[in-house]
Structure formats: structure tokens, C-alpha cells
Amino acid sequence: MENLKVLLCCGNGLSSGFLAQQGRKAAKKKGVDIKIEAKSEAEAVAHMPKIHVLLLAPHYETFKEKFAELAKPYNVAVGVIPQKVYGALDGEKLVEYAIELHQSNKL
């Protein structure tokens, strides 16, 4: 798999920043070529041309359709991070979810 670029998005990028950090650690441990960053909801749109997957924090689920529309021209997969992954800061599950989303988007 090519260098997968994933953007986590929440209110100000803070809580998703902790999860992104755990995801980077998990990816490194698994030897997966993935770049995970966290940004605020306001910054996410500007990053669309540079990413493959946009993952929204659970409390942003209501914005999924809006972001899916914005992501369409860039062929970016959009998903909502499962609450148990987000709450537990489970980097391993985050990486698995991002890869699954990306692969299903390519079909």
C-alpha cells in the first residue's frame, strides 16, 4: 500500500491529536506506511487534496454527509471514528479502520 494519508478531525484537533499519536505508534509497530494527522474541523477542507481518508470524531457524526460531499471531488473516504476506538485512544483499531475505509473507497 502506498503512503496512506489520514486526517482526523474534531473541534479543535486536540483530542483527535492524542488518537493520531497513538495511531502513528501503532502503524510504526506494524510496519504500515501511514501518515496520520489531526486538525480542527475548520482546517479539514483545506487538506482534502492531500489526503486519502478523513476520519471524524464521534461527536461530529452529524457532519459526515457535509464532509462526504466536500471530499467527493478528491476521492477521499470519509468515516466516523467508532466511539470505543476514540474513547480508548486505540491507535491499532484506528489504523485498521482507516485502511479498511480506504480500500473500500477504491472499489
Side-chain angles (χ1 to χ4, degrees), residues 35-95:
K35 183 178 181 187
I36 305 171
E37 287 188 55
K39 299 286 180 195
S40 71
E41 174 246 341
E43 295 175 280
V45 177
H47 289 271
M48 292 283 187
K50 302 175 246 171
I51 62 173
H52 300 107
V53 178
L54 174 66
L55 296 177
L56 305 174
H59 52 282
Y60 273 82
E61 187 167 8
T62 55
F63 295 99
K64 185 180 179 205
E65 289 305 311
K66 173 189 151 191
F67 278 109
E69 279 302 308
L70 293 168
K72 214 176 259 179
Y74 305 103
N75 198 29
V76 171
V78 177
V80 177
I81 303 164
Q83 181 61 52
K84 64 182 183 182
V85 172
Y86 193 80
L89 296 178
D90 190 335
E92 209 168 292
K93 292 278 185 231
L94 178 79
V95 169

